[in-house]
Amino acid sequence: MSPTRLSPPTGRLGVLMPGMGAVATTTIAGVMLARRGLGLPIGSLTQMATLPLQRRDGAVEVPLKEAVPLARLDQLVFGGWDLFPDDALQSATHAEVLSEKHLGLVAEELRMVKPMPAVFYPEYVRRLHGTHVKKAPSKADMVAQVRDDIRRFLRDEGCDRGVAVWCGSTEVYREASAVHQSIERFEDGLRHGSPEISNSQIYAWALLQEGIPMANGSPGLTVDFPAMYELARVRGVPIAGKDFKTGQTLMKTVIGPALKARMLGLRGWYSTNILGNRDGEVLDDPDSFRSKEVSKLGVLESVLAKDAHPDLYGSFAHKVRIDYYPPRGDQKEGWDNIDFFGWLNYPMQMKINLLCRDSILAAPIVLDLALLLDLAGRAGMSGMQDWLGFYFKAPMSAPGTLAEHNLFVQQVRLHDAIRRIAREEV
């Protein structure tokens, strides 16, 4: 939906995160450091990027955060839910992403961020055993409890409005079923405890009912089904997803378009990862890994448009693996072997060895999504925000349309959407 109005970012913005583990606490600590001038929010487009704008006196490069009225970092207040009762300092210390030096600079602030008890039906995340969880007679009652949490948090923290980013673990793979097809069916499913309604969907339903925009950082359905599209439209709330695009898939959305741009063929692409954080532990469950695998596998098929170029991309092999390796912690390593071919079908190979930090790459995405979804909400934009596909492995798209995976096309769409909002202001 196009912008219809643009209200200013006055007051405090509550940033709610279901799942307050490594990604969430790295984001929170980084924002706290950045707003004190103790660190740079590198990787965040809203904080570091410029946007080309056409003004009356010619084209200019304007800092993105000046091109549109974004909430400032000092207006952000953090909260959320987690399966474990650790405050943000304890959780960040356990995650071992940020150094003691960095955490020590904002330790008192981090201690004040305490998670609310989580929604937890263990069949959706089998490798975790939560101890800080809600109890309710039905899933409808669980939604009501989350709505109470949201209202209480916003009231107690003096927030004018809120936004949410799912930072929880990958749930087991599910496809949309009958219960996901309409608001009426979904609410009936909540009342009767439908096994097709997951933890993340309960949060999403509660958040949208409270008028809170939401982005989904995992590959699950969460906000990507007809009933949720309908609710977002009815409540006038923007939604976006899914699955943060961080390391290996980010590289695919760069290298894949490069091969296609030069009309170089592809015989196969093999990808494997090792990581040892909580996400790696969860993905050790084959059903949770299936959710991630589907998210990762869709990228090349979309970018290369194999049906349009059968001689080049009609039968390439694509394999993705993720292995849980505890010693590595949050420091993920990915290996890619790319078998491609050129003139007269002569074979070539490319090897990529990516050593990255999962939460360090995800944190700026969380910040950007929070600020841009808040912007969209203040601009009167509701429903699916496909212009935010730049940030996701499996970007949501309107029914009947193909999602765009090419990073550079996604960047153009992101910039164009921000320019449309900027015109409401300049």
Side-chain angles (χ1 to χ4, degrees):
M1 177 181 286
S2 298
T4 59
R5 54 176 167 74
L6 188 56
S7 58
T10 55
R12 307 180 95 188
L13 174 64
V15 181
L16 288 159
M17 301 178 187
M20 296 186 67
V23 170
T25 57
T26 301
T27 304
I28 295 168
V31 169
M32 290 175 175
L33 289 161
R35 64 191 180 191
R36 292 188 184 187
L38 299 174
L40 281 175
I42 294 171
S44 167
L45 273 64
T46 61
Q47 306 305 303
M48 307 289 290
T50 57
L51 180 72
L53 284 181
Q54 189 69 39
R55 297 285 174 83
R56 292 184 182 89
D57 53 350
V60 291
E61 288 277 340
V62 178
L64 194 151
K65 61 184 177 181
E66 295 178 12
V68 284
L70 298 173
R72 302 186 313 274
L73 298 187
D74 61 8
Q75 293 176 288
L76 305 186
V77 183
F78 295 99
W81 300 263
D82 200 77
L83 304 178
F84 305 101
D86 296 352
D87 61 43
L89 178 62
Q90 292 169 317
S91 181
T93 301
H94 177 75
E96 297 184 324
V97 177
L98 302 179
S99 68
E100 289 184 14
K101 174 186 174 183
H102 271 134
L103 293 177
L105 294 171
V106 288
E108 292 307 312
E109 262 193 288
L110 288 170
R111 283 194 186 98
M112 299 298 291
V113 181
K114 302 178 189 296
M116 296 173 276
V119 174
F120 186 55
Y121 295 94
E123 58 268 31
Y124 302 103
V125 190
R126 298 175 188 141
R127 296 300 169 96
L128 299 182
H129 306 285
T131 60
H132 186 58
V133 299
K134 297 182 183 302
K135 304 292 183 185
S138 74
K139 291 184 176 180
D141 294 306
M142 198 67 84
V143 168
Q145 287 190 29
V146 176
R147 293 184 70 175
D148 286 342
D149 288 345
I150 297 165
R151 294 186 194 118
R152 184 169 52 252
F153 173 81
L154 295 178
R155 181 190 66 238
D156 293 350
E157 297 296 337
C159 296
D160 289 54
R161 62 198 183 285
V163 66
V165 182
W166 172 267
C167 295
S169 298
T170 300
E171 297 174 324
V172 298
Y173 180 71
R174 290 285 189 275
E175 293 184 356
S177 64
V179 77
H180 298 108
Q181 299 309 309
S182 70
I183 290 176
E184 293 75 17
R185 288 184 181 184
F186 193 85
E187 291 189 333
D188 187 63
L190 288 171
R191 288 190 292 270
H192 293 92
S194 169
E196 301 300 320
I197 297 177
S198 70
N199 301 318
S200 67
Q201 292 166 24
I202 289 171
Y203 283 112
W205 202 257
L207 287 157
L208 267 60
Q209 290 283 18
E210 291 298 314
I212 306 294
M214 184 179 186
N216 175 26
S218 80
L221 288 174
T222 309
V223 293
D224 189 14
F225 54 90
M228 205 67 75
Y229 309 152
E230 186 181 355
L231 182 63
R233 213 164 38 244
V234 169
R235 298 291 293 130
V237 179
I239 54 175
K242 53 191 181 182
D243 204 2
F244 300 140
K245 181 159 58 183
T246 50
Q248 194 171 59
T249 306
L250 175 64
M251 294 298 102
K252 285 185 179 178
T253 63
V254 173
I255 302 298
L259 293 175
K260 187 184 176 189
R262 288 294 304 272
M263 286 289 110
L264 296 170
L266 182 66
R267 297 200 192 284
W269 194 312
Y270 176 82
S271 301
T272 188
N273 301 263
I274 57 172
L275 73 163
N277 58 13
R278 189 187 294 177
D279 196 36
E281 183 179 4
V282 168
L283 292 173
D284 213 31
D285 173 17
D287 283 342
S288 289
F289 170 69
R290 178 60 179 155
S291 294
K292 184 68 74 171
E293 182 183 37
V294 169
S295 174
K296 283 175 168 282
L297 285 175
V299 172
L300 289 178
E301 284 75 1
S302 171
V303 166
L304 298 175
K306 62 181 184 179
D307 291 342
H309 305 284
D311 291 340
L312 299 177
Y313 313 117
S315 60
F316 65 86
H318 190 192
K319 179 71 175 177
V320 174
R321 291 186 56 85
I322 300 175
D323 290 315
Y324 177 49
Y325 181 58
R328 192 55 65 96
D330 200 70
Q331 298 187 50
K332 180 168 66 177
E333 184 164 5
W335 295 277
D336 287 85
N337 176 78
I338 304 162
D339 288 285
F340 66 108
F341 58 94
W343 190 250
L344 304 178
N345 282 303
Y346 276 76
M348 294 172 277
Q349 286 191 345
M350 190 185 311
K351 314 284 188 183
I352 302 173
N353 181 202
L354 178 65
L355 292 93
C356 61
R357 294 172 178 262
D358 213 31
S359 299
I360 294 296
L361 290 171
I365 294 178
V366 176
L367 174 61
D368 282 359
L369 288 171
L371 295 182
L372 292 173
L373 273 180
D374 174 59
L375 175 70
R378 288 184 287 105
M381 300 165 69
S382 63
M384 188 189 303
Q385 306 299 305
D386 57 3
W387 56 281
L388 293 173
F390 177 85
Y391 293 103
F392 298 108
K393 287 187 184 75
M396 291 165 57
S397 61
T401 65
L402 295 175
E404 179 58 64
H405 286 271
N406 183 318
L407 183 74
F408 306 104
V409 176
Q410 290 175 330
Q411 184 184 41
V412 169
R413 291 184 177 181
L414 177 70
H415 285 176
D416 285 347
I418 294 172
R419 287 191 193 95
R420 286 194 297 273
I421 299 172
R423 288 195 191 103
E424 297 294 308
E425 177 73 5
V426 298

